[in-house]
Each structure stands twice: as C-alpha cells, then as structure tokens.
Amino acid sequence: MDISEQIKNIPDLSSHPAVALETTVLTHGMPYPQNVECALACEEEIRRAGAEPYTIGIINGQIKIGLTKEDIIALGQNHSAIKVSRKDIPYCVTEGLTGSTTVAATMILANLAHIKIFSTGGIGGVHRGFNETMDVSADLDEFSRTDVNVICAGPKAILDIPRTMEYLETQGVPVIGYQTSTLPLFYTRTSKYALDIHASSAKDIAEMIKVGDALKLHQASLIVNPIPEKFSLDPTFMEEKIEEALKMMEKDQIHGKRVTPYLLDKLVGLTQGKSLESNIALIKNNAYVGGLIAKELKK
Ligand code: PSU
Ligand code: MN
C-alpha cells in the first residue's frame, strides 16, 4: 500500500480516550517472553483505567495504530525487527520492513491518529560521556516537535540526568511530577532533583494539557510517574551495575542506536533479572495512569 493510501487508513481517534504504546521496548528493551506478557498487560491496564490501548509498530512496511494480540506476540519474537526512531520511518516503510517504534517514532505515528496520550517505561536522553560522543536521543527533540503527551517513570539512570533535564528545560518541555515533587529515576521513586511542576491527580494533568492545546503550544509534556514503592531498587546497587554495563559497552565499542538496547540487555543480566521485574511493574503502572489521564481528557 502506498503511503498516501496508508495515511488515509489511519483512524481519527480524537474523540476516543486513546493511549498509545511503543514497541521498541518489546523488541529491544526486554527478553521474550516477559516482553510479550508485559505488552499485553499494559493494554489490560489501560482498559482497566477506562481507556483504549493502541500499540504502535510497522509490520512489513505498514504503519499500524493498534497492533493485534497476534501482531504483538509475533513482533516480540522477531529478532530481525529494526529499531525505528524518527530517522528510520521512511526507510522502514519504503523497504517493507518490520520495525518497532521508539518513543520519538511512536509519538509521530500516534499524532497522525490524533492520540494525545502515550505511556511508556523509560525515555531516551542525554547519555553519559556526552562531551565525547554527543549522544542525545532523538526522543528529546520530539517532545518539542510533536503534540503527544508522554508518561514515563523518569529518565533511566544509565543517562546523564542533569544534562537531560537541562535539555528539556531548553526545549520548553514541561516535566510534570505525578504525585511527586522530585524527579523519579526509573528504578527509584525519588531523587535529589526537584521538579518545578507537579500534579496531584490525572484531572490536573488533563487540565494542563487542555491549556497547552488552547494556547497552541504544539508540543508534548512529559509526565513522570514514580515506580511503585514495592519495586523501587536501591540506587547504590543500580549505580554499581550501570557503571559495569558502561565499561562493557566501551570495550565492545557500541555506538549510535545500539547503545540503549545494549545497556538495557546488560543490566538485566547484571541484576539477575531484578531490573526486569521492576521495569515491568513501572510500565504497567504508567499504562494505568496514562489511561486515567486519557479518560479525564475526554470528559
Ligand atoms: N529506556 C528504557 N527502556 C527502553 C527505551 C529507553 O528504559 O526500552 C527505548 C525506548 O523505545 C526509547 C529508546 O525511545 O529506547 C531510546 O533509544 P535511543 O537512546 O537510541 O534514542
Ligand atoms: Mn543515541
């Protein structure tokens, strides 16, 4: 199907309480079968909150807003699926390839369907060693370009947190703490980084999004939702493992789009699966909160 035909077939979900879900975490962020279980559980969480899930990906060059259960199961076992960020979308579509979408690419495709809310686990950011590598995720620029609001558990501690926050500040992206006054750091609930903006309810977040829309800001806000207490990991323990993973990465000379998947994979091994268990818990929690916000937005 040519691209204009594909775009014509994209549904208009502007009147739905829709929540987008990404697929790079499915193919490059978690091992099978936990990845598939987690993806399906996230859809359930969104429904439980009273909203509608739409998992996004590209199957044989076809943009799909709302993968079926069968699509998710197949994609979760497809080791040749390519990681698709903003720059990779035209290539993936033109060559008829199967690709999983990152936060940036999922925002772009969700926007075509007028989906306003997108739940994920962790976002890309400014990497440690930026002064040498200039590695900044394309996710960060997408927030100022594309009007889809993203719920995550904060930037992962594999990143350079202060530089990631400065970058978002420069781009004018509101980072909204959901029931928290400090920045959650993915595996841990709190941090030393204070947030300027917080919200105590999904309703308050929906109101801020409505104000941004009325003012035609045409950009995302980033909602940071702390990991449930029970699954929060010790930051000193994680820091040790992250430093180990970074050393392995340097030795293996990993660059570009392989960096994030490499680190995520090494961390699962280095923490004996502990990081995976936490990862699943926080993603599901974000899906539920995303559902609550999507529902409020359509009231
Ligand atoms: N951070 C995580 N888990 C993930 C990712 C990031 O904790 O699965 C994925 C997301 O899909 C994100 C992408 O959009 O990695 C960022 O990749 P990069 O740093 O190459 O832009
Ligand atoms: Mn990068």
Side-chain angles (χ1 to χ4, degrees):
M1 213 190 308
D2 85 347
I3 190 62
S4 52
E5 200 60 28
Q6 283 204 43
I7 288 173
K8 240 189 280 160
N9 286 333
I10 290 178
D12 178 353
L13 298 169
S14 48
S15 64
H16 292 234
V19 180
L21 294 164
E22 59 144 316
T23 38
T24 294
V25 62
L26 176 72
T27 57
H28 292 70
M30 280 186 199
Y32 178 81
Q34 289 92 336
N35 60 348
V36 169
E37 286 161 20
C38 180
L40 298 174
C42 283
E43 294 207 333
E44 257 339 288
E45 287 299 306
I46 291 167
R47 290 190 193 102
R48 191 166 71 83
E52 301 168 13
Y54 293 88
T55 301
I56 293 178
I58 301 178
I59 311 290
N60 300 322
Q62 302 292 313
I63 293 167
K64 289 225 176 166
I65 311 291
L67 295 177
T68 62
K69 186 175 173 186
E70 291 68 36
D71 288 331
I72 292 172
I73 293 169
L75 190 57
Q77 298 173 80
N78 181 344
H79 294 294
S80 50
I82 61 168
K83 172 181 163 186
V84 176
S85 192
R86 167 179 270 274
K87 76 180 198 308
D88 310 291
I89 302 173
Y91 171 70
C92 187
V93 168
T94 306
E95 298 294 315
L97 301 174
T98 291
S100 59
T101 47
T102 64
V103 169
T106 304
M107 288 173 74
I108 294 166
L109 301 183
N111 194 37
L112 294 176
H114 306 287
I115 298 176
K116 299 284 296 176
I117 303 293
F118 163 23
S119 281
T120 185
I123 53 160
V126 180
H127 279 261
R128 298 189 191 185
F130 167 81
N131 289 354
E132 279 296 314
T133 62
M134 281 188 73
D135 187 352
V136 182
S137 172
D139 290 353
L140 289 189
D141 276 334
E142 208 57 49
F143 298 133
S144 58
R145 283 179 163 181
T146 302
D147 186 357
V148 176
N149 302 282
V150 179
I151 295 114
C152 71
K156 194 170 259 176
I158 56 172
L159 300 169
D160 183 328
I161 305 300
R163 283 191 172 82
T164 300
M165 293 306 284
E166 287 295 350
Y167 200 91
L168 290 168
E169 163 101 9
T170 301
Q171 298 280 339
V173 177
V175 179
I176 308 172
Y178 177 67
Q179 299 176 344
T180 180
S181 56
T182 69
L183 180 69
L185 293 185
F186 199 85
Y187 296 119
T188 44
R189 279 181 67 80
T190 55
S191 71
K192 61 182 177 194
Y193 307 104
L195 292 171
D196 296 328
I197 309 169
H198 4 99
S200 55
S201 67
K203 184 165 178 277
D204 288 356
I205 293 173
E207 286 308 318
M208 285 188 230
I209 292 170
K210 284 179 188 167
V211 171
D213 283 355
L215 295 171
K216 299 189 170 48
L217 297 183
H218 295 306
Q219 60 165 40
S221 38
L222 183 63
I223 297 126
V224 290
N225 180 31
I227 184 171
E229 183 75 64
K230 205 177 125 202
F231 294 94
S232 188
L233 298 176
D234 175 30
T236 330
F237 167 80
M238 281 315 294
E239 187 55 37
E240 233 170 71
K241 302 301 171 196
I242 288 164
E243 271 167 26
E244 236 175 289
L246 287 168
K247 276 197 198 113
M248 292 162 108
M249 185 173 88
E250 207 180 309
K251 202 166 133 258
D252 288 346
Q253 301 195 6
I254 306 294
H255 308 286
K257 66 193 275 185
R258 290 174 62 211
V259 167
T260 300
Y262 178 96
L263 290 173
L264 299 181
D265 177 56
K266 289 294 177 226
L267 278 181
V268 174
L270 287 168
T271 63
Q272 274 114 30
K274 256 198 197 156
S275 68
L276 182 59
E277 197 193 5
S278 293
N279 205 341
I280 292 170
L282 68 84
I283 295 197
K284 282 164 62 179
N285 186 39
N286 293 344
Y288 183 73
V289 171
L292 295 181
I293 300 169
K295 207 174 70 177
E296 281 298 333
L297 210 49
K298 297 304 157 198
K299 268 190 187 160

